[in-house]
């Protein structure tokens, strides 16, 4: 173990000398929570106070009550390039048909293939449908008919979600970015200490000393894991102070990263960090050059990203709750929703994570016994 700690100290000293590379690996942990908070602030502001929607209305004088109703919904008659993209054409016989209790025709003219206009089109259609339902109820009342006869079922939803669970649903979107930070933060060090050392011809010199390949692999694994956990610590600390600044109260709940959750996240993230380190070192040593290792890792990193995102959006089968990354992701989501931590699923997922990390580390130790791998032949 003395040799392992000596090698580990050497790896950490070498990594700390290249400060730009270290910061490049930690930029994700520093910037992601700030970016997520900014996006949430913009989204909440749009949901709480939507902007007025300008619409070009043809024959607006034929339906003053409809125009007034739309204005109350923030949909106003306007002109210009933006208003010309969404046109509400009211038929010329609109007042006569409304007076006779018939169906009056209004036409929405817009380009539905324009992604920027789809929300505006749906907003206008929803407002017109609400006005139509209100007018239909008034016509029934005028004829002495209770509008409730057209609603044989009265559906009520008793929402048992707590403010914590509602906040957990939102926080789950950002949770996978926290877990994914262990893969990003240590990646530069993993490439530099493997393919980088080989290109600098220092790997062969290091193995000429009285150390085994197993000791070398363990020291590199611990160094990359340390940087991965440093990224996780940073993203948790920044999230702890940044997320309370978002106006969650406008959506009816609050979100905060508690110290207890931070400790749980660190404990759950440690096996994932070890898996990330062993995977990145294994792939980097498989590559012949530094640039080749970067290319391979860029593609390999899509695997944990896909697993984490699948668990976040509940689009994956049940088996993923037992697998690495996705299992830890789903367990953490249960906690932030105020539910009980699924110990069995988490234990199996974490055990499988450590098993895969051990297999990769053992295979890597055997690989380094080959001169072709050491010298990149």
């Amino acid at each position: 173990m003395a040799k392992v700690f000596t090698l580990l100290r050497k790896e950490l000293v070498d990594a700390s000398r290249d400060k730009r590379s270290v910061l490049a690996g930690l930029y994700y942990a520093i910037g992601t929570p700030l970016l997520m908070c900014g996006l949430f602030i913009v989204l909440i502001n749009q949901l709480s106070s939507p902007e007025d929607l300008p619409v070009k209305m043809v024959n607006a004088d034929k339906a003053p009550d409809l125009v007034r109703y739309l204005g109350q919904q923030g949909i106003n008659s306007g002109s210009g390039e933006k208003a010309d993209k969404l046109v509400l054409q009211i038929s010329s016989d609109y007042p006569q048909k409304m007076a006779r209790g018939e169906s009056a025709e209004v036409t929405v003219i817009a380009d539905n293939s324009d992604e920027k206009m789809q929300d505006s089109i749906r907003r206008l259609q929803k407002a017109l449908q609400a006005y139509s339902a209100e007018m239909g109820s008034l016509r029934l009342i005028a004829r002495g008919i209770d509008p409730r006869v057209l609603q044989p079922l009265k559906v009520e939803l008793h929402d048992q979600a707590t403010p914590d669970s509602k906040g957990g649903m939102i926080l789950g979107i950002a949770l996978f970015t926290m877990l994914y930070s262990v893969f990003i933060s240590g990646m530069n060090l993993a490439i530099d200490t493997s393919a980088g050392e080989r290109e600098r011809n220092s790997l062969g010199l290091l193995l000429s000393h009285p150390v085994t390949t197993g000791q070398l692999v363990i020291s590199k694994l611990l160094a990359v894991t340390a940087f991965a956990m440093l990224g996780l610590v940073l993203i948790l600390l920044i999230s702890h102070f940044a997320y309370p600044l978002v106006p969650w109260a406008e959506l009816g709940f609050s979100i905060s990263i508690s110290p207890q959750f931070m400790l749980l996240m660190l404990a759950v993230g440690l096996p994932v960090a070890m898996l990330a380190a062993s995977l990145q070192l294994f792939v980097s040593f498989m590559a012949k050059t530094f640039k080749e290792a970067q290319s391979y890792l860029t593609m390999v990193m899509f695997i944990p990203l896909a697993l984490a995102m699948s668990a976040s959006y509940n689009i994956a089968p049940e088996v993923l709750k037992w697998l690495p990354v996705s299992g830890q992701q789903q367990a953490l989501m249960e906690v932030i929703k105020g539910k009980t931590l699924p110990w069995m699923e988490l234990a199996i997922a974490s055990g499988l994570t450590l098993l895969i990390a051990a297999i990769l580390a053992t295979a890597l130790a055997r690989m380094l016994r080959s001169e072709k791998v050491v010298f990149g032949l």
Side-chain angles (χ1 to χ4, degrees):
M1 292 303 297
K3 293 181 180 180
V4 171
F5 284 119
T6 301
L7 290 170
L8 174 60
R9 185 167 60 251
K10 171 259 178 190
E11 297 291 345
L12 295 177
V13 170
D14 288 346
S16 61
R17 287 172 180 169
D18 191 358
K19 295 182 175 58
R20 295 184 64 180
S21 179
V22 171
L23 289 176
L26 299 178
Y27 281 155
Y28 175 89
I30 297 173
T32 300
L34 300 178
L35 178 61
M36 293 296 294
C37 289
L39 292 176
F40 281 134
I41 290 175
V42 173
L43 179 61
I44 291 174
N45 289 335
Q46 290 182 349
L47 292 175
S48 59
S49 56
E51 297 180 355
D52 289 344
L53 176 62
V55 176
K56 183 178 180 180
M57 298 185 184
V58 180
N59 295 329
D61 57 319
K62 302 291 184 180
D65 188 64
L66 174 60
V67 173
R68 184 166 52 253
Y69 178 85
L70 293 176
Q72 295 173 353
Q73 309 301 317
I75 304 175
N76 301 303
S77 177
S79 59
E81 182 179 356
K82 188 175 182 179
D84 291 340
K85 293 183 179 180
L86 185 58
V87 179
L88 177 62
Q89 184 173 347
I90 302 172
S91 60
S92 57
D93 58 351
Y94 180 93
Q96 292 81 11
K97 287 192 174 182
M98 290 293 288
R100 294 195 298 266
E102 300 176 359
S103 297
E105 182 178 348
V106 294
T107 305
V108 178
I109 304 174
D111 183 4
N112 202 29
S113 64
D114 189 350
E115 295 182 356
K116 296 181 179 180
M117 293 299 299
Q118 289 179 357
D119 289 340
S120 300
I121 295 172
R122 286 193 294 267
R123 181 179 172 185
L124 177 58
Q125 288 178 327
K126 185 177 180 180
L128 291 173
Q129 291 171 357
Y131 180 79
S132 177
E134 185 176 325
M135 290 298 102
S137 299
L138 292 176
R139 286 181 177 182
L140 291 175
I141 293 174
R143 289 164 174 77
I145 302 175
D146 191 342
R148 289 176 293 183
V149 300
L150 298 179
Q151 299 176 346
L153 292 179
K154 184 179 180 181
V155 181
E156 294 185 0
L157 175 63
H158 293 278
D159 191 0
Q160 296 181 342
T162 63
D164 290 338
S165 63
K166 291 180 180 179
M169 295 174 62
I170 300 295
L171 189 57
I173 301 174
L175 183 60
F176 82 92
T177 63
M178 302 178 186
L179 198 60
Y180 192 62
S181 65
V182 300
F183 289 91
I184 300 297
S185 301
M187 185 170 63
N188 285 346
L189 176 58
I191 298 174
D192 185 70
T193 193
S194 54
E197 278 194 354
R198 184 166 53 194
E199 285 191 354
R200 293 190 298 267
N201 297 321
S202 60
L203 182 61
L205 180 61
L206 187 61
L207 287 173
S208 65
H209 290 76
V211 294
T212 65
T213 56
Q215 292 170 336
L216 182 63
V217 168
I218 292 175
S219 65
K220 293 182 179 296
L221 179 63
L222 292 176
V224 177
T225 301
F227 272 79
M229 291 302 293
L230 176 60
L232 182 57
V233 170
L234 284 176
I235 197 171
L236 286 173
L237 287 175
I238 296 175
S239 300
H240 175 72
F241 294 102
Y243 277 97
L245 301 178
V246 181
W248 302 111
E250 296 187 13
L251 297 181
F253 54 83
S254 62
I255 287 179
S256 62
I257 308 296
S258 64
Q260 293 80 5
F261 176 77
M262 295 171 66
L263 292 176
L264 176 62
M265 187 74 183
L266 292 175
V268 172
L270 180 58
V272 181
M274 297 181 68
L275 172 63
S278 60
L279 177 62
Q280 290 166 353
L281 288 171
F282 183 83
V283 174
S284 297
F285 273 114
M286 288 286 291
K288 299 295 183 183
T289 62
F290 189 94
K291 291 184 177 180
E292 188 178 348
Q294 287 180 319
S295 301
Y296 288 165
L297 281 181
T298 301
M299 294 183 290
V300 170
M301 288 302 99
F302 278 104
I303 299 176
L305 178 62
L307 289 172
M309 293 187 66
S310 299
S312 298
Y313 294 101
N314 294 324
I315 60 176
E318 287 291 323
V319 68
L320 284 188
K321 68 182 180 180
W322 309 96
L323 298 182
V325 183
S326 58
Q328 286 90 347
Q329 173 81 6
Q330 290 191 0
L332 291 170
M333 288 185 65
E334 293 296 314
V335 174
I336 62 177
K337 290 180 181 179
K339 299 180 181 179
T340 305
L341 179 66
W343 289 103
M344 181 178 295
E345 290 88 342
L346 179 60
I348 293 177
S350 298
L352 186 58
T353 301
L354 293 174
L355 177 62
I356 296 175
I359 292 174
L360 290 173
T362 303
L364 183 56
R366 292 183 178 180
M367 284 172 51
L368 291 178
R369 298 172 186 170
S370 171
E371 293 182 355
K372 292 183 179 181
V373 176
V374 175
F375 296 102
L377 302 177

